[in-house]
Every structure is written in structure tokens, then in C-alpha cells.
Amino acid sequence: MVEGTEQTAKSEQTDFLHHLFVPVYMPAILFATGEGALIPVVPLTARALGADLATSGIISGLLMIGVVLGDIPSGFAVSRWGETFAMRGAAIIAIISAIVCWKAPNLTVLAVGVLMIGIASATFNLARHAFLTTWTPPWYRARAMSLLGGTSRIGYFVGPFLASPVIAFAGAQSVYWIHVFACVTVLIVLQVMPDPEKALAHNRASAESHRPQTLPGASAPSPTPLAASLSPTTRHRHRLPIITYFPVLIRMGTAAGILQMMRASRQVILPLWGVQLGISSPHIALIMGIAGAVDLSLFYTSGQVMDRFGRRWAAVPVLGV
């Protein structure tokens, strides 16, 4: 009987995650594929416009700086206008920015275009995270979030492999159109699919009504409205969450920021290193794709570990390594 219940629960988990594919994962994969294709091309474009190696690194790093700068305004956009509106806006900004990079006559214009792509990426990714946080039950959330992280890794894996033949046959500048095409496809997907909030609300309600009681992690409490769980003083303090949760932000944010900085540096260092070694542009893109494959290999496993044993069992081994 217990075994049958576990099999049913696992089937329901898989079905719930399948419902997330079109509204959440497909647009994220498309957007990340376009971004992954242009990452190895940005330093090549900077070099073609006369930048030295250091300046090429700075311009490539503007993509990540744009992500940092875009987090706060993108959070405001998501909370005010909703996730779907924010994603559409981010895709449109990314299309315009990619065309600006393609037509850039000098390094200043290229830098502005790359920075805006980073801001668009921050907005798009934050909207995806907001979707999952709102509509995914807590006992599926780690796997759902890990799969979302996997979509960016899939894009950074597939994108460079798409860029390599395009560079070989049409030149490095043509790669920017991969990002344009990917973002246009995202807009089409968002336009033709049904209202994702209604679908995901129905799926969450169904998952909660069939919540497994025999699986590990099933004892997690059901989500309760935040206002009901806060005292009047805490409710007042919640108006300024950055102050209320400042100690948590310092501890968790510093560690996460250092890890993200180390991980993101790969996307700048590898193309520049390839340029310095005289490696051809298509081969640089292939190397970036291989690096993306390594990054792709463990994303879902980490979600399984976090759901079964807790976040600490995933975070501590990573820091140890």
C-alpha cells in the first residue's frame, strides 16, 4: 500500500513539473540559448572594434554588471506589472540591444548594448523565479528551481554550439541574430500560450489536494499567508524587507555573491583566453559549449539532494570543493 502511494506521488510530481514546461521552462531555455550564443562573441566584437584585451574583458563583464544593476528595477517591474509583462519587456529590450551590438560603430555603443542585454536578462530571470515561487508547492520547489537553473545551463550549452557554425560561415557579427531570433520566439510563445497564472494556480491546487504524506520532506508545513503569521510590529517592519532581513541578506548574499562571481568569471575569461592564445572564433564557441556541458551535468541532482536532505547538504559540499 505504501509503495503504491509513493508511486502515485512520484507520478503526480512528474505531472506537476511537466505543467511548468511551457509557461516557465521553454521561454527560459530560448532566452538563455540566445544569450549563451552571444557570450563568446562579445569580446571578439570588441577586439574587431579596436579594443585591447583588458578593454574587451571590461565590455564582456558589462553583461554581468547589467544583471546586478537590473535586479532592483526588474523586481519593481515584476511586482507592479506582473511576470508575463516583465518577460515581454525584457525580450523586447534584448532584441533592441542585440541589434545595437550588431550595428555598433564603436566601443561605447557596444558597451551600452551589452549592458542592456544584462539588464534584460536580470528582468527575465527574476520573472521566472517569481512564477515558481508563487505557483510551486514547497515540497516540489527545490526540484522546480533546480530545473529553472538548468534551463540557463542548457542555453549556455546549446547556444555556443549554434554560434560556432554561424561564426564559421557568416562571421561573428551574425551571432547576434541568434539572440534576436530566440527572443522573438519567446514573445511568440508568451503570446500564444494560455494565461499561465490560471493554469499554474489550478495545477498547484491539484498538487496540494493530492499532497503525498509518505515521501521525505512531506512534513513541511503548508504555506500560510504572511500577514497572518506576523505580529503588528513585524508587519510594520516588513514594509522595509531589506532592513528586516538585513542579517540574512549579509550572510547568504555575500556567500552567494562570491560563488556567482567565480562562476560568472568563466564566461569572460574563457573567450579572452582563447583570443590571447590565437584560437579561432568557431573553436572558442565550441570550448564555451563544452564548459556549459560540464555546468549542465548536475543541476537536477542538486535539486533532489535539497528536497531530500535540505539545502545545507548541497551548499556545504560545493563550498568544500
Side-chain angles (χ1 to χ4, degrees):
M1 181 67 181
V2 174
E3 182 178 353
T5 305
E6 290 182 353
Q7 292 293 334
T8 302
K10 289 178 181 178
S11 175
E12 289 168 355
Q13 291 176 26
T14 304
D15 183 63
F16 184 82
L17 293 176
H18 283 169
H19 284 300
L20 295 173
F21 180 75
V22 173
V24 179
Y25 299 132
M26 182 185 290
I29 290 173
L30 291 169
F31 193 91
T33 299
E35 188 176 348
L38 63 83
I39 283 175
V41 172
V42 171
L44 301 176
T45 305
R47 293 285 285 178
L49 291 174
D52 56 20
L53 206 60
T55 305
S56 298
I58 292 173
I59 293 177
S60 298
L62 286 174
L63 187 66
M64 301 305 160
I65 294 174
V67 171
V68 174
L69 294 178
D71 278 336
I72 293 178
S74 63
F76 173 79
V78 170
S79 64
R80 185 173 180 84
W81 294 297
E83 293 90 347
T84 302
F85 178 89
M87 283 188 297
R88 287 173 177 161
I92 293 171
I93 292 173
I95 290 171
I96 296 172
S97 301
I99 295 174
V100 167
C101 292
W102 174 63
K103 293 289 290 183
N106 53 56
L107 293 174
T108 301
V109 176
L110 177 64
V112 171
V114 173
L115 184 69
M116 292 306 298
I117 290 175
I119 293 174
S121 178
T123 304
F124 193 91
N125 291 331
L126 185 64
R128 296 292 80 198
H129 279 84
F131 253 119
L132 287 183
T133 302
T134 303
W135 302 113
T136 306
W139 54 95
Y140 297 161
R141 191 165 294 156
R143 271 163 287 186
M145 297 295 283
S146 294
L147 284 172
L148 182 61
T151 60
S152 64
R153 290 165 173 82
I154 291 171
Y156 292 161
F157 165 64
V158 175
F161 283 112
L162 292 177
S164 182
V166 171
I167 294 172
F169 292 105
Q173 292 296 103
S174 301
V175 172
Y176 291 105
W177 287 100
I178 296 178
H179 195 37
V180 172
F181 178 78
C183 292
V184 169
T185 308
V186 167
L187 290 174
I188 294 172
V189 170
L190 293 175
Q191 183 64 34
V192 302
M193 72 179 184
D195 186 356
E197 295 188 6
K198 292 181 180 179
L200 291 176
H202 173 75
N203 294 334
R204 171 165 181 161
S206 176
E208 289 178 342
S209 66
H210 296 89
R211 180 182 176 182
Q213 297 296 331
T214 59
L215 292 177
S219 59
S222 299
T224 56
L226 182 61
S229 64
L230 298 177
S231 65
T233 303
T234 309
R235 288 194 199 106
H236 176 73
R237 293 175 62 201
H238 188 68
R239 296 174 186 174
L240 296 173
I242 194 170
I243 297 175
T244 304
Y245 301 107
F246 187 73
V248 177
L249 290 172
I250 288 295
R251 293 195 303 270
M252 301 299 294
T254 301
I258 292 173
L259 289 174
Q260 184 64 20
M261 180 178 62
M262 294 170 61
R263 178 173 171 267
S265 64
R266 180 201 73 213
Q267 299 172 3
V268 177
I269 292 174
L270 283 180
L272 290 176
W273 197 5
V275 169
Q276 186 180 24
L277 295 176
I279 301 174
S280 64
S281 301
H283 287 99
I284 291 176
L286 285 176
I287 292 170
M288 291 293 293
I290 294 170
V294 176
D295 198 15
L296 178 66
S297 59
L298 290 174
F299 73 90
Y300 189 69
T301 304
S302 66
Q304 292 278 10
V305 171
M306 286 188 287
D307 274 341
R308 281 186 180 274
F309 307 109
R311 274 64 173 169
R312 185 175 300 175
W313 285 91
V316 173
V318 168
L319 293 173
V321 173

